[in-house]
Amino acid sequence: MKKIYLYGNWKMNMTVAETKKFFDGFESAYAPYKNDAGLEVGVFAPFTSLWALADCAKKAGIVFGAENVYSEASGAFTGEVSIPMLQEIGIKYVILGHSERRHIFNEPDEMIAKKVKAVLNANMIPVLCYGETLDERESGHTFDVMGRQLSTAIDGLNPDDVKKIIYAYEPVWAIGTGKSASSEQAQEVCGWSRNLLGIKDVVILYGGSVKASNAKELLSMQDIDGALVGGAALKPESFLDIYKAFKA
Ligand code: PEP
């Protein structure tokens, strides 16, 4: 049985108090799976909750990370957070290129590529999101768009570094909409991505309205190694029920 990566992106949710409360409930929900080598759980929180997340996640024995970072180490970049700042509090994983960064904050492919390189150079692990909008899918441009996003992000990297990245295919039209891609659509893109990256055992997640009711179908697909989960990751039960449903 393949290993499943279940990563939760809290987005701009969860204060320090809410983070601690989440972990109060997490322990019992996670207990049945704690020693399951077939599952890797991770949680990604806003900057202000990272200190609390690091503390709680270490105790729980799960992966934890940030939702963004800037590529420069220090300087005149008001409002940004650097890699050394994350490292100081023990952060190793960083989500990059989430569609909300790309589309609400207009982060271009080149900026995301710089971040990917900076994170890898710091021996950290990028969780690189990519995916098409509804317009792009409907006009037949899904694969051009994703080809551009992925190729720019890995341009100039050696194969070892390409393999260290965790990829998350997230069709923009499926994020936070309750409307997941079908398992066939998600498999098609994840399989295509694996070919484009040219590395068989690279980790590729699917994200976009994943919940217990669609988990089994999606996570059983050959080229889908796990899920990046938004809404359903805000509560320990709905988050872990995704894995429970896959196993059932
Ligand atoms: C996400 O934020 O990456 C995401 C997939 O959100 P949701 O599961 O809520 O669609």
Side-chain angles (χ1 to χ4, degrees):
M1 184 72 92
K2 67 180 177 181
K3 177 171 171 180
I4 294 291
Y5 294 74
L6 182 63
Y7 282 4
N9 170 20
W10 281 352
K11 311 194 188 204
M12 199 175 73
N13 296 297
M14 304 297 250
T15 61
V16 168
E18 287 164 343
T19 299
K20 290 180 180 167
K21 195 164 167 232
F22 175 93
F23 279 95
D24 286 344
F26 185 80
E27 202 182 331
S28 56
Y30 186 47
Y33 314 112
K34 206 175 164 118
N35 299 314
D36 185 339
L39 174 65
E40 177 172 304
V41 177
V43 170
F44 295 76
F47 293 127
T48 50
S49 297
L50 283 180
W51 183 272
L53 173 69
D55 185 40
C56 297
K58 265 186 231 160
K59 286 181 191 144
I62 64 166
V63 162
F64 53 95
E67 297 173 14
N68 189 24
V69 76
Y70 196 55
S71 48
E72 298 297 324
S74 63
F77 303 102
T78 302
E80 293 296 323
V81 167
S82 72
I83 289 170
M85 290 168 185
L86 294 185
Q87 286 179 311
E88 190 182 30
I89 55 169
I91 303 295
K92 192 168 168 212
Y93 292 76
V94 188
I95 293 178
L96 295 175
H98 191 279
S99 69
E100 288 147 19
R101 300 297 323 167
R102 292 179 189 268
H103 296 290
I104 302 174
F105 300 102
N106 297 318
E107 283 194 16
D109 293 336
E110 292 71 22
M111 178 188 272
I112 294 160
K114 272 193 189 167
K115 294 180 179 195
V116 168
K117 285 183 185 70
V119 166
L120 286 168
N121 285 340
N123 285 320
M124 292 164 70
I125 300 180
V127 178
L128 174 67
C129 302
Y130 62 102
E132 81 287 4
T133 63
L134 189 58
D135 273 1
E136 289 161 347
R137 175 164 279 267
E138 287 178 348
S139 59
H141 290 106
T142 298
F143 294 96
D144 311 340
V145 170
M146 291 185 308
R148 193 199 67 225
Q149 291 176 346
L150 282 177
S151 307
T152 309
I154 64 167
D155 186 39
L157 296 182
N158 62 48
D160 279 353
D161 277 342
V162 173
K163 196 179 153 188
K164 282 180 201 153
I165 299 171
I166 294 175
Y167 299 85
Y169 167 52
E170 298 209 308
V172 181
W173 46 272
I175 297 178
T177 58
K179 187 182 169 207
S180 168
S182 69
S183 49
E184 291 77 18
Q185 284 171 321
Q187 163 59 31
E188 183 188 25
V189 172
C190 293
W192 171 89
S193 307
R194 202 175 295 282
N195 282 339
L196 179 121
L197 295 166
I199 297 174
K200 226 174 149 231
D201 53 353
V202 82
V203 175
I204 305 179
L205 316 180
Y206 165 76
S209 300
V210 178
K211 42 194 177 298
S213 57
N214 56 21
K216 185 145 188 123
E217 244 194 295
L218 287 162
L219 298 180
S220 302
M221 290 288 148
Q222 187 189 335
D223 287 298
I224 301 179
D225 298 306
L228 183 56
V229 183
L234 294 172
K235 296 260 178 323
E237 301 74 24
S238 51
F239 188 33
L240 291 165
D241 276 356
I242 291 171
Y243 185 64
K244 190 175 170 186
F246 166 69
K247 292 284 276 184

